[in-house]
């Protein structure tokens, strides 16, 4: 009893100290964006609903920024037009916090169970660390929708699809209709042969898009024929916040970025992603499939602002997961060091040192630091593999691996697979 009380006291103290340290760090490192993107959404919706303007004609005063999401996103955000500005901020922050907490619980809980950690303690530590994560704090400070989209996709890939639920794909479809880039997860379903889920996702995206078109025909017509193609509304491609392959190429020659070079890089990246994603699904490792696809989406999208890199969070957590599942030794140390370095860089605002001048070798390496992390995660994130019953729990090198009873195959597939092992 006393030992349990002492442990709880130590954990509470640890969380309080960590929370204080993160708060101090944010006070120094976090940039206050004043919910800039949320102001764009709020202003556009107010202009549309109350002032009789067209939503895609709105530009935030003094800027070139307007509402860039599809009409279904406008439908989802429509209640915001009837809220006071302060209430809109509260809803935005709460939505980000709640969706992040649920996602972290799904990803952290297996690690906590395997390591024997207290569940609430593991989640509290993860939430503190997530608060310091630059893409996450940028998402909150801008009032962005990134965590909502990640949550919708994770519902499908971490919950519905492994269970064989017939509704798997709805979350991906909704995320795609809100913001087009999650459509890469429909491609992921197709590449990995989940035809039913891909059809459900495509049908959901098409259905809600048609619904928005029926409700808002003028706005839909303007978006699909004009606003979608107006790249000037999203910002400068060479801006250091654009941590995509397109941003890398643009920073090589801001005046004349090579489209051919970008397309070649995208094709090579997609080929690597398709190969690794198929391997992950063949191994029954849907969480790694989510992480790999999130990384490739950030890489191949023409514009990936720093706040979009919340999609890298599952990959960083899975590095820790793989480390804790491995036997104590070199492999565990390498994975923990990789996770620590990736996380440290992604809280550091490193790329902003080259915001004004990204020329030279140091500029090339430093201004694209987050791109290099995305590529490394895509190429080297370990994949778990299933062995048939009776198979020995070893990897190719003969090193025994830990059983992971918390990551089982769906019930209907357990006769085909055995234990879930980290193998590479």
């Amino acid at each position: 009893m006393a030992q349990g009380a002492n442990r709880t006291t130590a954990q509470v103290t640890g969380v309080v100290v960590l929370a204080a340290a993160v708060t101090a760090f944010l006070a120094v490192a976090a940039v206050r964006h004043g919910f800039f993107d949320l102001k764009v959404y709020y202003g556009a919706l107010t202009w549309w609903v109350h002032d009789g303007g067209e939503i895609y004609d709105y530009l935030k005063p003094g800027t070139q920024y307007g509402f860039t999401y599809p009409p279904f996103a406008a439908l989802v955000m429509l209640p915001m037009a009837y809220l006071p500005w302060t209430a809109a901020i509260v809803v935005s922050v709460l939505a980000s916090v709640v969706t992040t907490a649920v996602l972290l619980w799904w990803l952290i809980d297996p690690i906590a169970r395997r390591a024997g950690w207290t569940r609430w303690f593991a989640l509290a530590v993860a939430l503190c660390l997530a608060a310091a994560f630059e893409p996450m704090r940028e998402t909150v400070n801008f009032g962005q929708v990134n965590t909502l989209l990640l949550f919708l996709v994770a519902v499908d890939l971490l919950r519905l699809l492994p269970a064989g639920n017939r509704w798997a794909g709805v979350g991906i479809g909704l995320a795609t209709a809100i913001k087009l880039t999650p459509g890469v997860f429909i491609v992921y379903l197709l590449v990995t042969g989940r035809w039913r889920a891909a059809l459900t996702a495509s049908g959901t995206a098409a259905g809600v898009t048609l619904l928005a078109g029926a409700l808002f025909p003028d706005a839909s017509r303007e978006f699909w024929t004009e606003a979608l193609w107006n790249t000037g509304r999203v910002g400068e491609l060479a801006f250091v916040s654009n941590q995509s392959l397109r941003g890398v190429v643009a920073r090589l020659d801001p005046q004349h970025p090579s489209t051919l070079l970008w397309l070649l890089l995208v094709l090579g990246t997609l080929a690597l992603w398709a190969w690794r994603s198929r391997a992950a699904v063949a191994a029954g490792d849907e969480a790694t499939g989510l992480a790999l696809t999130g990384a490739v989406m950030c890489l191949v999208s023409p514009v990936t602002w720093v706040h979009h890199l919340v999609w890298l969070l599952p990959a960083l957590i899975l590095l820790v997961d793989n480390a804790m599942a491995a036997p104590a030794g070199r492999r565990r140390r390498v994975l923990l060091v990789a996770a620590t370095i990736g996380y440290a860089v992604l809280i550091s605002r490193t790329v902003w040192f080259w915001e004004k001048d990204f020329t030279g070798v140091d500029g090339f390496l430093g201004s694209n630091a987050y791109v290099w992390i995305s590529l490394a995660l895509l190429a080297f994130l370990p994949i778990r593999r299933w062995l048939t019953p009776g198979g020995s729990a070893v990897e190719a090198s003969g090193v025994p691996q830990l059983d992971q009873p918390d990551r089982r195959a769906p019930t209907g597939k357990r006769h085909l697979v055995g234990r879930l092992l980290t193998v590479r």
Side-chain angles (χ1 to χ4, degrees):
M1 182 78 69
Q3 185 177 2
N6 290 336
R7 182 187 187 191
T8 299
T9 300
Q11 288 176 337
V12 171
T13 302
V15 169
V16 171
V17 170
L18 179 59
V22 169
T23 300
F25 172 78
L26 293 177
V28 175
V31 176
R32 306 294 187 268
H33 297 294
F35 299 98
F36 183 93
D37 289 357
L38 188 64
K39 285 180 180 177
V40 173
Y41 311 151
Y42 190 82
L45 289 165
T46 301
W47 163 264
W48 187 35
V49 172
H50 300 296
D51 298 331
E54 191 59 68
I55 189 169
Y56 295 108
D57 292 338
Y58 174 84
L59 293 178
K60 187 178 183 295
T63 76
Q64 63 184 6
Y65 298 105
F67 195 86
T68 58
Y69 294 166
F72 179 67
L75 177 61
V76 172
M77 297 181 188
L78 193 59
M80 189 189 305
Y82 300 95
L83 294 177
W85 170 240
T86 302
I89 293 175
V90 171
V91 170
S92 174
V93 173
L94 283 177
S96 292
V97 171
V98 171
T99 52
T100 300
V102 174
L103 177 66
L104 288 176
W105 177 256
W106 289 342
L107 293 171
I108 293 294
D109 188 55
I111 309 176
R113 282 191 283 171
R114 188 184 306 113
W117 300 341
T118 307
R119 308 282 183 77
W120 72 263
F121 175 70
L123 179 61
V125 170
L127 283 170
C128 289
L129 296 178
F133 190 55
E134 184 179 356
M136 188 64 68
R137 65 185 194 240
E138 292 277 287
T139 288
V140 174
N141 284 331
F142 272 116
Q144 264 283 345
V145 298
N146 304 307
T147 59
L148 171 62
L149 302 179
L150 177 53
F151 172 76
L152 287 172
V153 171
V155 168
D156 275 345
L157 298 187
L158 300 183
R159 284 298 185 261
L160 300 184
L161 197 60
N165 191 295
R166 63 191 181 93
W167 294 104
V170 170
I172 291 172
L174 292 174
T176 302
I178 292 171
K179 186 176 183 180
L180 300 178
T181 48
V184 70
F185 284 93
I186 299 179
V187 182
Y188 165 72
L189 294 173
L190 292 171
V191 165
T192 55
R194 272 76 65 81
W195 311 109
R196 178 171 179 170
L199 182 62
T200 299
S202 301
T204 300
V208 296
T209 297
L210 290 173
L211 172 63
L215 293 174
F216 317 124
D218 293 338
S220 296
R221 187 182 308 111
E222 183 170 357
F223 175 79
W224 295 107
T225 61
E226 296 182 30
L228 176 61
W229 314 103
N230 184 1
T231 56
R233 294 164 63 92
V234 298
E236 175 61 43
L237 290 176
F239 183 42
V240 75
S241 183
N242 185 12
Q243 291 294 301
S244 69
L245 293 172
R246 185 63 161 160
V248 173
V249 172
R251 283 185 286 277
L252 289 174
D253 185 358
Q255 299 304 317
H256 306 285
S258 172
T259 300
L260 177 59
L261 176 59
W262 172 59
L263 290 176
L264 290 174
L265 290 173
V266 165
L267 288 175
T269 302
L270 288 174
L272 173 63
W273 162 74
W275 171 61
R276 299 216 72 215
S277 293
R278 288 175 63 86
V281 171
D285 190 358
E286 206 69 68
T288 298
L290 164 66
L292 294 174
T293 307
V296 84
M297 182 179 71
C298 293
L299 288 165
V300 304
S301 173
V303 176
T304 299
W305 303 134
V306 168
H307 57 78
H308 294 150
L309 295 175
V310 294
W311 291 92
L312 298 184
L313 194 58
L316 292 175
I317 294 173
L318 288 173
L319 279 178
V320 178
D321 194 350
N322 279 280
M324 298 309 297
R330 181 175 180 275
R331 178 182 177 81
R332 176 177 289 185
R333 290 194 300 272
V334 168
L335 290 172
L336 287 176
V337 167
T340 301
I341 292 174
Y343 175 77
V345 173
L346 283 165
I347 70 172
S348 66
R349 289 185 56 83
T350 295
V351 298
W352 297 99
F353 289 115
W354 290 271
E355 180 180 3
K356 302 298 182 182
D357 181 9
F358 37 74
T359 58
V361 174
D362 66 310
F364 176 72
L365 296 175
S367 69
N368 300 308
Y370 301 167
V371 178
W372 310 142
I373 292 176
S374 298
L375 284 169
L377 291 170
L378 177 63
F380 300 113
L381 183 66
I383 293 173
R384 295 174 172 85
R385 182 167 293 170
W386 296 84
L387 295 180
T388 55
S392 59
V394 297
E395 60 174 319
S397 63
V399 179
Q401 300 296 302
L402 296 181
D403 183 22
Q404 300 186 48
D406 50 332
R407 292 198 185 277
R408 297 293 186 187
T411 303
K413 297 182 180 178
R414 286 179 184 167
H415 67 289
L416 299 176
V417 296
R419 287 173 293 177
L420 187 55
L421 308 174
T422 303
V423 299
R424 63 185 183 195

